[in-house]
Amino acid sequence: MEPSATLLIVDDDRDIRTLLADYLESNGYRTLGAADGAAMWKVLDETRPDLVVLDLNLPGEDGLTLCRKLRAHSTLPVIMLTARSEPLDRILGLEMGADDYLPKPFEPRELLARIRSVLRRSNSQPAGVSDQAQQIRFSGWTLDLTARHLLNPQGIVIMLSGAEFRLLKVFLEHPNRVLNRDQLLNLTQGRDADPFDRSIDIQISRLRQKLGEDARMPQIIKTVRNGGYVLAGAVSVEPAA
């Protein structure tokens, strides 16, 4: 998505909200602000931003709780701002469905790059899948590329976060092929992993839960020792009618 997208900044520090708003608006984006969860929900009731920048440490409901509630009914992209000294917060943020995270303190330029990357990914079709493709079927499940959700074998809708949706698309594009963490991170987030980055493992764990997999013996997304992960089984792509 080109600049002109609307970004909602949720942070209880007015100075940070003002700083980020000024910087992001100077780069072509529209911004909205909220100091806490109540203000965030009010904004979301009145408008539809394209992405939320959500601070973890908020008065009242914290960012993790807000992200979990938002993810329960929406695929709106979320970038979580976390404390650098608390890696567990970053892990929990991803477990709650955040699309990316950025530890404080950070350079506004880095946040801008993350925003552009998340917006670009959230509005793109998976490489290698035709623009006419509408659904991808695998192991009795269906990924709907138009509605951006998952259907279980009984036809019940399973909501996915943006990160989970992109990760599953990547696996479905490369069935029965082992993909390591670096490849998965590059294909889904457009960046290389650092030695302590466990975001892919967390997202795969969440995907397995939503696919009803036994964590000890998964049958769809399998772990390959010293190799990575592989989506096993046949995959079929159905074009739009």
Side-chain angles (χ1 to χ4, degrees):
M1 180 176 295
E2 294 297 323
S4 78
T6 299
L7 313 175
L8 172 56
I9 303 166
V10 185
D11 197 304
D12 62 327
D13 188 319
R14 179 180 296 179
D15 291 339
I16 289 178
R17 292 201 310 274
T18 301
L19 171 68
L20 292 180
D22 289 346
Y23 181 76
L24 294 170
E25 288 174 6
S26 72
N27 281 276
Y29 292 97
R30 296 185 296 270
T31 66
L32 302 167
D36 55 24
M40 182 189 88
W41 294 123
K42 186 175 187 297
V43 172
L44 293 176
D45 284 341
E46 296 174 350
T47 188
R48 167 72 183 186
D50 298 289
L51 180 144
V52 178
V53 178
L54 179 60
D55 188 35
L56 187 148
N57 296 308
L58 293 171
E61 291 185 307
D62 64 18
L64 293 175
T65 302
L66 294 172
C67 185
R68 175 176 56 80
K69 290 183 176 180
L70 181 62
R71 192 54 70 227
H73 59 79
S74 173
T75 59
L76 183 64
V78 175
I79 295 179
M80 185 79 75
L81 302 181
T82 70
R84 183 179 297 276
S85 60
E86 298 295 338
L88 179 60
D89 288 344
R90 301 196 289 274
I91 293 172
L92 290 173
L94 292 169
E95 288 180 339
M96 291 301 103
D99 293 86
D100 204 348
Y101 64 84
L102 191 60
K104 290 181 174 181
F106 58 86
E107 288 289 335
R109 286 180 300 175
E110 184 174 3
L111 176 60
L112 177 64
R114 297 292 182 94
I115 288 170
R116 286 173 171 166
S117 180
V118 169
L119 287 174
R120 185 169 59 249
R121 295 194 308 265
S122 68
N123 286 277
S124 64
Q125 289 284 355
V129 173
S130 167
D131 289 340
Q132 299 302 312
Q134 186 177 38
Q135 296 180 331
I136 307 178
R137 299 187 184 276
F138 64 102
S139 302
W141 294 76
T142 302
L143 184 67
D144 191 311
L145 300 181
T146 303
R148 299 176 70 85
H149 63 220
L150 183 65
L151 294 169
N152 72 9
Q154 291 74 45
I156 297 172
V157 173
I158 308 296
M159 294 298 295
L160 299 175
S161 72
E164 294 160 359
F165 179 79
R166 291 190 298 275
L167 181 59
L168 184 54
K169 283 196 300 185
V170 166
F171 275 122
L172 293 173
E173 285 192 283
H174 305 87
N176 303 301
R177 173 181 166 186
V178 178
L179 299 170
N180 63 37
R181 291 182 183 88
D182 287 343
Q183 290 172 314
L184 289 169
L185 192 62
N186 187 266
L187 287 168
T188 59
Q189 299 187 30
R191 61 185 176 89
D192 296 328
D194 64 54
F196 304 103
D197 194 327
R198 311 305 295 179
S199 59
I200 289 296
D201 303 282
I202 294 167
Q203 289 163 13
I204 286 174
S205 177
R206 286 176 57 84
L207 265 182
R208 284 172 169 167
Q209 290 176 18
K210 293 186 177 182
L211 291 167
E213 294 253 68
D214 182 342
R216 293 169 296 181
M217 296 186 64
Q219 299 301 306
I220 300 176
I221 300 177
K222 298 184 177 183
T223 301
V224 179
R225 187 174 182 180
N226 298 322
Y229 299 95
V230 59
L231 185 136
V235 172
S236 63
V237 178
E238 296 188 1

